[in-house]
Amino acid sequence: MAEEALPTPPASPMQVMIDNFNRLSPRQKMAGAAALALAIALLVGVWLWSQQPQYSVLFSNVEEKDGGAIVTALQQQNVPYQIENGGATIMVPSTRANELRLTLAAQGLPRGGSVGFELLENQKLGLSQFHEQVNYQRALEGELARTIQSIAAVAGARVHLAIPKQSAFLRNEQKPTASIVVSLRAGRTLDAAQIAGIVHLVSSSVPELAANQVSVIDQNGNLLARQRKQGGPALDDTQLEYVRNVEESYITRIQKILDPMLGSTNFRAQVMADVDFDDAEQTSETYKPNPPPNTSIRSLQTSENIANNPGPLGVPGALSNQPPVPATAPITSPVVPGTVAQSGPVPIPLNSSKTATTNFEVDKTVQHVKRALGQVKRLSVALLVNHKSEKDAKGNFKTVPLTEAEVKKINDLVREAVGYSEKRGDTINVTNTAFTDPAKEDVVALPMYKDPEVIALLKELARWLVLALVILFVIKKVIQPLMRSVAPPKPEEEEEEIEAPLSAENLEERAQMVDSDIPPEVLELELAKMSFEKKLARAREVAKKDPKMVAQLIKEWMGGGASGEGR
């Protein structure tokens, strides 16, 4: 009867797996199910984590009001977002950042915390003229601030306009003024042309606002453009830049003349220019006497006066103080009593005067001189020249100083290049010395672990590596043990085991298998697949080598006889 019970037909792999699973204890079944569920959950979690989108900055340094409007717009579009830096930075998936930036720009976001002419779109009825003027001024300030923010170096701007109320009295009329605060981006500055552009932009947008009444400061309080009085100096903040340009032009001339002769690395030149920025006007009027050959009479006036009346005659008294007699012709008039008749030639005049006035032309010179700004008053040139290289007898290069003739030649070239003027007080100093070798500074390269590209690549690799490790862990520690305990052996291995001869080595391996932790049920199923002769031979060998194992096996059979016969 034992021979008829042993040769049973082989079961299908699925049936074997079901049977093996049914043989497991409830605790083993629950542990396997929990391990399998945990592995599946772990795989799903790692997969979702690996598929999480990368976020990039949508807007940064946004104000709270603009941030709220942007978040509301993102929520309406069902776009995931992240808020960082206390709400100042809004991040969205990298794949949609550019699209969302354009979409929000079409909606006028961000507004920069200022309102423009859209404030006038919702005017209420019954507003007073004062409120209308205030709203218009706010809208104008907001539009100007938005326009200034469009400059690349400007991150934010505020515009304050002081527009006085118009008066009917010309005496009390006041001109408007403006103040601008700009917040510059990190590492950026505004040059003079950009500042002037901002000033003229604001002055041209407000009626009767002069450019010299606009002040501009940055976020650090530095005054970039100030209100200037009419008639003030023409040069103010540009003086240093002008001096720098003058000095650079002289240095460029020296470099161009010495580069072919010495090489660009064998000399260093510096120029200090004393520039006159005084705005002066001079008017002079000079008078000089004409020398005798060049004398010229402008006007001549001569005056002559002759008097022929004699003075009082006779002895002082009554006779001499008589009034004059009437005038009569000397020929016909009779002789007046008390007078002596005159006869003979006319008497010589007793009183005469003569005056002459001559006016000569005077040499006159009137000179009006206005000196131009930015004239060079004095130049100081310093030139440092390296020693020249020569080969010695062994063919090695060595440095030797320049000769006096060579230094003089360089000095003369520099004099001509800069336009040396002894009257102006210019100085030129040429020094010949050996240059020190520049220390080879170790270029501190950015460490690999700080490189943003490397960090991004490592993050991506780490993500997939973690996913691979989790999958490998689940396969090795969960799935394979479960399959090893439930799944039947491979058919190829079964055929090889059946066809292999029962040598002493094979029997020893079987004996070791019996001593292992394989359950007796699995060992019994494996033995049932062998032929009766091989089973019998193997049973004898095993009984000889390990009687205790055979006794344990028979005990198991006997213990299961109550539930299933024929075993």
Side-chain angles (χ1 to χ4, degrees):
M1 293 178 65
E3 295 180 0
E4 293 178 359
L6 288 175
T8 58
S12 61
M14 183 60 66
Q15 185 63 33
V16 174
M17 292 178 62
I18 294 174
D19 293 341
N20 293 339
F21 182 76
N22 292 332
R23 292 190 184 97
L24 297 176
S25 63
R27 180 177 296 179
Q28 291 177 339
K29 291 179 181 179
M30 292 179 62
L36 185 60
L38 180 61
I40 294 174
L42 186 61
L43 287 175
V44 172
V46 173
W47 174 256
L48 293 178
W49 172 76
S50 63
Q51 297 300 320
Q52 185 178 5
Q54 293 288 336
Y55 282 82
S56 62
V57 177
L58 178 64
F59 294 110
S60 60
N61 298 326
V62 295
E63 297 186 1
E64 294 180 356
K65 186 175 181 180
D66 287 340
I70 293 172
V71 169
T72 302
L74 294 177
Q75 290 175 351
Q76 293 175 355
Q77 301 179 20
N78 295 326
V79 177
Y81 62 90
Q82 294 180 354
I83 299 177
E84 297 182 357
N85 296 332
T89 303
I90 300 177
M91 304 182 68
V92 294
S94 302
T95 56
R96 300 193 59 186
N98 296 331
E99 175 190 354
L100 292 173
R101 199 173 290 115
L102 295 176
T103 303
L104 295 176
Q107 301 178 10
L109 296 175
R111 297 187 178 90
S114 60
V115 293
F117 284 122
E118 67 271 7
L119 183 64
L120 305 178
E121 297 177 357
N122 300 322
Q123 290 285 353
K124 298 180 181 179
L125 295 176
L127 282 179
S128 63
Q129 184 179 4
F130 174 76
H131 285 85
E132 291 180 353
Q133 182 65 26
V134 170
N135 290 339
Y136 172 75
Q137 183 170 338
R138 287 181 58 197
L140 183 58
E141 291 175 352
E143 291 295 334
L144 290 174
R146 291 179 184 177
T147 306
I148 296 173
Q149 288 177 7
S150 62
I151 301 176
V154 179
R158 293 289 301 275
V159 179
H160 303 278
L161 300 178
I163 303 177
K165 187 177 180 180
Q166 295 182 354
S167 175
F169 300 96
L170 184 61
R171 181 183 302 172
N172 300 330
E173 184 180 6
Q174 297 180 357
K175 297 297 183 181
T177 59
S179 300
I180 306 171
V181 181
V182 293
S183 298
L184 303 179
R185 302 185 186 277
R188 304 294 293 274
T189 57
L190 292 176
D191 55 18
Q194 291 174 322
I195 297 173
I198 294 174
V199 170
H200 285 81
L201 169 69
V202 176
S203 63
S204 302
S205 302
V206 180
E208 299 184 2
L209 176 59
N212 57 6
Q213 296 298 320
V214 179
S215 300
V216 182
I217 63 174
D218 60 6
Q219 71 273 21
N220 298 322
N222 298 322
L223 187 60
L224 304 180
R226 62 175 61 88
Q227 297 179 359
R228 294 186 296 270
K229 297 180 179 179
Q230 295 289 348
L235 293 177
D236 41 35
D237 297 336
T238 59
Q239 292 182 359
L240 291 178
E241 183 178 358
Y242 177 78
V243 173
R244 190 182 306 113
N245 292 337
V246 171
E247 294 174 349
E248 289 293 336
S249 65
Y250 283 112
I251 293 175
T252 302
R253 294 180 187 178
I254 297 174
Q255 290 176 347
K256 287 184 178 180
I257 198 66
L258 295 182
D259 276 349
M261 179 179 177
L262 302 176
S264 59
T265 60
N266 291 324
F267 69 93
R268 297 290 184 271
Q270 288 294 329
V271 177
M272 196 282 291
D274 185 5
V275 183
D276 185 9
F277 292 104
D278 295 337
D279 187 7
E281 296 183 7
Q282 181 180 1
T283 302
S284 61
E285 188 173 351
T286 307
Y287 296 91
K288 296 181 180 180
N290 294 329
N294 299 324
T295 56
S296 59
I297 299 175
R298 183 178 183 181
S299 62
L300 177 62
Q301 183 178 1
T302 303
S303 175
E304 185 176 359
N305 185 12
I306 301 174
N308 56 2
N309 292 329
L313 300 175
V315 178
L319 295 178
S320 61
N321 292 331
Q322 294 296 325
V325 297
T328 56
I331 299 176
T332 58
S333 60
V335 179
V336 178
T339 62
V340 179
Q342 296 180 359
S343 62
V346 178
I348 299 175
L350 299 178
N351 187 11
S352 65
S353 63
K354 184 177 182 180
T355 302
T357 302
T358 304
N359 294 325
F360 295 93
E361 289 289 349
V362 180
D363 187 7
K364 177 182 178 182
T365 302
V366 179
Q367 186 179 12
H368 181 77
V369 179
K370 182 178 181 180
R371 290 186 297 178
L373 295 175
Q375 291 184 346
V376 178
K377 298 169 58 178
R378 182 174 176 271
L379 284 179
S380 298
V381 182
L383 183 63
L384 186 64
V385 183
N386 189 16
H387 285 177
K388 61 181 179 180
S389 299
E390 290 184 354
K391 284 186 177 180
D392 55 8
K394 298 181 179 180
N396 299 326
F397 285 96
K398 63 177 182 179
T399 59
V400 295
L402 299 178
T403 61
E404 294 184 0
E406 292 174 337
V407 173
K408 184 178 182 304
K409 183 187 299 184
I410 295 174
N411 195 346
D412 295 339
L413 288 175
V414 174
R415 284 171 176 263
E416 297 297 330
V418 300
Y420 175 81
S421 174
E422 185 177 358
K423 183 185 299 184
R424 195 169 54 187
D426 296 348
T427 58
I428 297 177
N429 187 4
V430 180
T431 302
N432 177 228
T433 184
F435 285 7
T436 58
D437 294 334
K440 296 181 179 179
E441 299 179 357
D442 295 332
V443 180
V444 180
L446 187 66
M448 184 177 295
Y449 61 89
K450 291 185 179 180
D451 191 354
E453 296 182 357
V454 175
I455 292 175
L457 180 60
L458 292 178
K459 286 183 178 180
E460 191 68 20
L461 293 177
R463 177 180 301 178
W464 290 105
L465 181 61
V466 169
L467 180 61
L469 291 177
V470 170
I471 294 175
L472 183 62
F473 175 79
V474 171
I475 292 175
K476 292 291 185 180
K477 299 298 182 180
V478 179
I479 297 178
Q480 283 188 356
L482 290 177
M483 294 301 295
R484 191 182 298 113
S485 61
V486 176
K490 295 182 180 180
E492 294 80 2
E493 295 177 355
E494 295 175 358
E495 294 177 359
E496 292 177 358
E497 291 176 356
I498 294 173
E499 294 176 358
L502 289 175
S503 59
E505 292 79 2
N506 294 336
L507 290 175
E508 186 176 356
E509 292 178 0
R510 295 294 181 178
Q512 294 177 357
M513 185 183 300
V514 173
D515 293 337
S516 62
D517 297 335
I518 299 177
E521 295 82 359
V522 179
L523 181 60
E524 180 183 0
L525 182 61
E526 184 179 357
L527 295 175
K529 297 177 182 178
M530 301 181 182
S531 61
F532 177 74
E533 292 79 5
K534 292 181 179 180
K535 291 178 181 179
L536 185 59
R538 181 176 178 185
R540 291 174 179 173
E541 292 289 337
V542 172
K544 291 180 180 179
K545 299 185 71 172
D546 194 353
K548 293 183 179 180
M549 187 274 295
V550 176
Q552 182 68 24
L553 182 60
I554 294 174
K555 184 178 180 181
E556 292 289 337
W557 288 350
M558 293 177 66
S563 59
E565 297 181 355
R567 187 179 288 270

